[in-house]
Amino acid sequence: GIVTAIAASPDGTILAAAGQGNCHLFEASTGRPQTSSESWDSGHPNQTTKSLVFHRTAAMLTSITSSGAIPIWRFAESPPRFYTLSPATRPLDVQFDSTTDHLYVAAESNRGEGAEIAEFDLQSEQVIHRITEPFDSPFAMAGAFRPDGGAYAGVSEKGRVVVRDLPGGEVRCQFDVER
């Protein structure tokens, strides 16, 4: 199938490749297949994987998919489990926290009402904190998490960039980018 996302484990020994309906793990130095999940599509056969992110321990993997489902694959378990923040949101980006078993998800409203960053606890499998913004907010258009999950930078359609510390959401800085 078509590969639409690839990621390397934090130590560089494993590569993950995902596309429509599957995710495969490979030994990075040889390309030898390690394992795979044929159920990466959560029942949505036309789903496309948009990004892949390894946990800091390389024991699990997550992604953003076009269906809005967030697969979390703990390699000791099979198949992946799927989560949805809310049927009314579309995930944009995802990042594991580097010091806790939390996952941050940036999402926009499907109804044009706003955007949010949700902090998801992997142990309780619950959203434990949300930062919400109006739709023209600086993470409604695009954004990126810091690799350790400790901050999020987002940009609005008007070019306003806001950097927020996580998990609290305090604004670290903001500025405008000329078009």
Side-chain angles (χ1 to χ4, degrees), residues 40-63:
W40 199 249
D41 64 4
S42 74
H44 301 277
N46 296 322
Q47 166 178 286
T48 301
T49 300
K50 296 182 175 186
S51 68
L52 286 168
V53 179
F54 274 92
H55 186 266
R56 70 185 180 284
T57 64
M60 68 179 89
L61 184 72
T62 190
S63 72

Side-chain angles (χ1 to χ4, degrees), residues 1-4 18-20 22 24:
I2 298 171
V3 173
T4 57
Q20 294 177 316
N22 56 55
H24 303 279

Side-chain angles (χ1 to χ4, degrees), residues 42-101:
S42 74
H44 301 277
N46 296 322
Q47 166 178 286
T48 301
T49 300
K50 296 182 175 186
S51 68
L52 286 168
V53 179
F54 274 92
H55 186 266
R56 70 185 180 284
T57 64
M60 68 179 89
L61 184 72
T62 190
S63 72
I64 294 296
T65 63
S66 59
S67 72
I70 302 167
I72 298 176
W73 183 16
R74 292 172 174 92
F75 303 137
E77 302 173 6
S78 198
R81 294 180 65 162
F82 295 88
Y83 303 93
T84 303
L85 291 180
S86 162
T89 61
R90 182 177 65 89
L92 300 171
D93 199 7
V94 63
Q95 181 67 43
F96 287 106
D97 184 87
S98 67
T99 59
T100 66
D101 277 337

Side-chain angles (χ1 to χ4, degrees), residues 114-133:
E116 72 178 18
I117 297 174
E119 183 179 2
F120 184 83
D121 180 71
L122 295 165
Q123 300 301 317
S124 68
E125 300 183 352
Q126 300 290 319
V127 173
I128 58 172
H129 185 73
R130 291 181 193 270
I131 302 166
T132 58
E133 296 273 340

